[in-house]
Amino acid sequence: MRVGLFIPCYIDQFFPEVGIATLQLLEKQGCEVVFPEKQTCCGQPMANTGMEQEGKKIYADLAELFSDCKYIVGPSPSCVNHIREHYDIIEQTEAIRHLRKNAYDLVEFLVDVLKIDHLDASFPYKVGLHRSCHGLRGMHLSKPSELMCDIPLKWEKVLGLVEGVELAKLNRSDECCGFGGTFAVAEEAVSVKMGKDRLADHLANGVEVLTSGDMSCLMHLQGIAGRQKSGPRIVHLANILNGDKL
Amino acid sequence: MSTHSEKAAAFIKDEARTNWHDGALWHVREKRDAAASLLPEWELLRNTASHIKDNVLANLDDYLIQFEAEAKKNGVVVHWAKDGKEHNQIVGQILQRSNAKKVVKSKSMLTEECKLNDFLEENDIEIIDTDLGERIIQMRKEEPSHVVLPAIHIKKEEVGELFHKELGTEEGNSDPTYLTKAARTHLRQRFFEADAAITGVNFGIAETGGVVVCTNEGNADMGCHSAAVQIHSMGIEKLLPKAEHLGVFTRLLARSATGQPTTIYTSHFQKPQKGKEMHIVIVDNGRSEQLGKEDFRNSLKCIRCGACMNTCPIYRRSGGHSYHATIPGPIGAILSPNRDLKKYSDLPFASTLCGSCSDVCPVKIDIHEQLYKWRQEIYKHHELPKSKSIPLRITGKIFENPSIFNSVGKIARSSLKHLPRFMVYNNLNGWGKQRELPEVPEYSFKEWYKKQKDE
Ligand code: SF4
């Protein structure tokens, strides 16, 4: 199964280990993974600031790069959600339609397409799951606490396949961490306060390692924890699922 | 005028107060969750409500005409106001004709929107807000900071002080029961003296021509029953086709607002009492313009339950006044730019687009998607500050070109690694004020990939 690996810009530049884990994990699952090296970004930073018109070329180029992959998989619900929801502003070429239909977040791909029921990984820690908003409410990788209906818990399911993971219960199970792209800078005070509160919730519940499918949220939380010189260890889900050690 | 982010930063300076505000509203959100979870049909109710409102908005002209005709048959005087100014003039004329000097009002965000109180006071008419929260705000000469809990930003100790000064309660006593009792005694007198009563409207029923007002303190009833003249101010979007649709909304409204199964009073006003007058003022004030904008039409479904405010992690930490608009929070941030794009161009950015507002909304308004769309409109109308648009335009150009992206990335990483700390962490770097930047890795993913492929 030919899978195109989509690595968002900031993961490429700052968190290569997340990309590596994603690649290795997919290969272990028997996927033939290709990585088009010309990719840069999904265009979300511009779009979320109101400048989606400026991102049209980025959208079209990205779609072209992946046009011969059956699936396109990236370790970032936020970017994948953006591709699905907001690539409606350019001409819906074959390539664009293909990308929007076949772009998956890593965890979603593992659960919905590969239907995994086993992982060769162990992670003996109390883990706090940050249910990032775009994955949660945009893609329903877990159940938002506001909704009163049944939604399969995909993040929780994959974590449950890792030996030794003890999933922490949080006081606020799915509140936003306050990252929000350019929001993090434009609304610095609220953003940081939200992040501090998220960290405090995890700490109060004995979390040793905080994880999430979205590295951008983690980058923000890690930044605050780093400045405060306190907080749990922070690790992307892909690394845990890949069996990486702390 | 300062922007949301400046006002929010000022609010958050007092971190203990922020925590208290956040906690109080989160408590309401939890009560809402508990109440909603008891109804297996919750999501079905939301769907139904949303569909009923779709129908109303698609046929608003017909329903308004029907409503007016039915109301007239009941002996109600119906008025139409195109904007807030006309609304105030109409209310002023009604009061003048009946020689009313003292007016009691029960909560209405619409009259806030029209700035009715200021207008009446300028015309020497005494207007008293009778709902406890509204009364507190009125005494403090402030605007409400929430649509359901207008004084949620004020602590009980502060109310104690205010009442001591204004109503002569014991100094230092901030016991809620004591203060409520004092307010009630003070207001009882106002009800007796009132010449006219004004209320907002939660729902107008096209089929019957009647209006429904939902309150917890019963002040709409008190006012309307005692005064000789009753006036109901209603936005054009408040209609429901039939009385049978009401139950869907009353079940959703109270649960979403406070977690109660129903409001304590759901008062129906249909015709004037013998020898008395009943007026309904139907107000547009920008709503029909909103109706014409397809992307933003849905926001007119709002039933003002306040759930989106309670759930919004930004609202909870920045306070209602930071939105500098009559309706704060997520819904306010999509309604306000419709009124004045320039003045409110900061509000659609006061969100992480987390989507919690859309999921909590009982009438399923796609609030966070509308916030996203407003941002695009703001850029198109050149209201995006250059401090945002220029860097992002450059970023966009970099992303368009993979080899530039790679080299810029490399330069950025190496400078972050080697620059002295003061050059990275300074006032120009909003990220670094209270956060570390990520540690710089030895290589990018692409560099790693290339290397291992070549090997
Ligand atoms: S937008 Fe929805 S949640 Fe917010 S006040 Fe209106 S009805 Fe309630």
Side-chain angles (χ1 to χ4, degrees), chain A residues 188-237:
Chain A
E188 191 263 350
V190 195
S191 172
V192 170
K193 177 64 183 141
M194 287 166 71
K196 277 163 78 176
D197 291 353
R198 287 321 299 135
L199 282 172
D201 190 358
H202 284 266
L203 280 180
N205 287 288
V207 165
E208 294 169 289
V209 177
L210 196 169
T211 192
S212 168
D214 260 312
M215 198 61 224
S216 48
C217 307
L218 293 181
M219 173 173 74
H220 163 71
L221 293 171
Q222 195 170 43
I224 297 170
R227 183 63 60 89
Q228 291 180 341
K229 300 202 176 8
S230 72
R233 292 286 295 268
I234 290 180
V235 179
H236 191 278
L237 251 178

Side-chain angles (χ1 to χ4, degrees), chain B residues 16-283:
Chain B
R17 192 185 188 92
T18 306
N19 290 341
W20 164 79
H21 188 260
D22 169 55
L25 288 159
W26 184 255
H27 177 64
V28 185
R29 155 79 209 272
E30 283 183 317
K31 280 179 29 194
R32 170 267 176 206
D33 292 349
S37 70
L38 290 178
L39 299 187
E41 70 275 33
W42 182 256
E43 296 301 332
L44 177 66
L45 273 178
R46 288 177 73 223
N47 263 327
T48 311
S50 175
H51 287 144
I52 294 171
K53 278 286 183 187
D54 278 335
N55 173 331
V56 170
L57 294 179
N59 303 289
L60 193 55
D61 47 351
D62 292 338
Y63 287 129
L64 282 168
I65 291 166
Q66 186 189 5
F67 177 80
E68 178 185 37
E70 294 303 323
K72 279 183 174 163
K73 273 191 220 156
N74 297 332
V76 176
V77 189
V78 179
H79 312 257
W80 298 84
K82 70 170 185 300
D83 56 21
K85 199 169 143 211
E86 208 168 278
H87 164 266
N88 294 347
Q89 277 163 354
I90 292 168
V91 173
Q93 280 159 10
I94 299 169
L95 297 176
Q96 209 174 23
R97 262 202 308 272
S98 49
N99 221 353
K101 282 282 161 208
K102 291 179 180 231
V103 182
V104 285
K105 192 176 82 179
S106 182
K107 195 170 175 283
S108 145
M109 288 309 290
L110 177 59
T111 58
E112 285 290 334
E113 181 184 316
C114 299
K115 307 263 179 274
L116 176 69
N117 286 17
D118 295 346
F119 174 85
L120 292 182
E121 277 160 17
E122 278 159 26
N123 287 283
D124 293 323
I125 294 172
E126 179 195 81
I127 178 151
I128 299 286
D129 279 311
T130 55
D131 304 293
L132 186 54
E134 291 284 333
R135 186 71 190 113
I136 292 169
I137 297 290
Q138 191 184 27
M139 283 181 183
R140 284 171 58 114
K141 303 198 182 0
E142 278 181 16
E143 295 191 354
S145 71
H146 187 287
V147 294
V148 173
L149 311 159
I152 187 71
H153 60 293
I154 299 165
K155 293 190 173 184
K156 63 178 197 285
E157 291 75 19
E158 292 164 324
V159 177
E161 261 172 59
L162 179 74
F163 280 13
H164 170 64
K165 216 171 79 207
E166 299 283 335
L167 303 178
T169 55
E170 259 169 56
E171 188 160 15
N173 194 337
S174 58
D175 174 53
T177 317
Y178 169 73
L179 294 177
T180 311
K181 223 172 140 192
R184 194 168 287 159
T185 315
H186 153 75
L187 287 168
R188 208 32 70 100
Q189 196 53 35
R190 298 300 192 279
F191 279 120
F192 285 140
E193 294 166 3
D195 306 310
I198 300 178
T199 80
V201 170
N202 288 91
F203 307 100
I205 315 289
E207 173 189 44
T208 65
V211 295
V212 179
V213 186
C214 303
T215 70
N216 271 330
E217 297 168 32
N219 295 330
D221 294 28
M222 294 263 282
C224 291
H225 290 157
S226 53
V229 177
Q230 68 187 88
I231 305 172
H232 306 280
S233 296
M234 178 179 88
I236 56 169
E237 82 286 14
K238 293 284 173 186
L239 290 188
L240 297 179
K242 294 183 172 182
E244 69 187 48
H245 298 134
L246 186 65
V248 174
F249 289 88
T250 50
R251 296 185 80 198
L252 286 167
L253 176 65
R255 286 181 174 87
S256 297
T258 56
Q260 291 167 271
T262 183
T263 47
I264 310 282
Y265 299 86
T266 301
S267 314
H268 300 247
F269 300 101
Q270 195 143 334
K271 47 180 72 165
Q273 302 165 67
K274 263 213 173 76
K276 295 188 179 181
E277 285 175 37
M278 174 168 164
H279 299 261
I280 298 175
V281 189
I282 304 174
V283 186

Side-chain angles (χ1 to χ4, degrees), chain B residues 315-367:
Chain B
Y315 175 92
R316 276 188 263 115
R317 289 173 183 82
S318 66
H321 289 156
S322 65
Y323 294 81
H324 59 91
T326 307
I327 310 277
I331 180 68
I334 58 177
L335 291 174
S336 305
N338 178 61
R339 310 285 303 283
D340 188 336
L341 187 67
K342 205 177 178 68
K343 184 168 170 200
Y344 298 116
S345 64
D346 56 327
L347 295 186
F349 293 93
S351 165
T352 56
L353 307 180
C354 75
S356 181
C357 46
S358 305
D359 277 353
V360 90
C361 176
V363 289
K364 298 188 90 167
I365 301 174
D366 50 344
I367 305 175

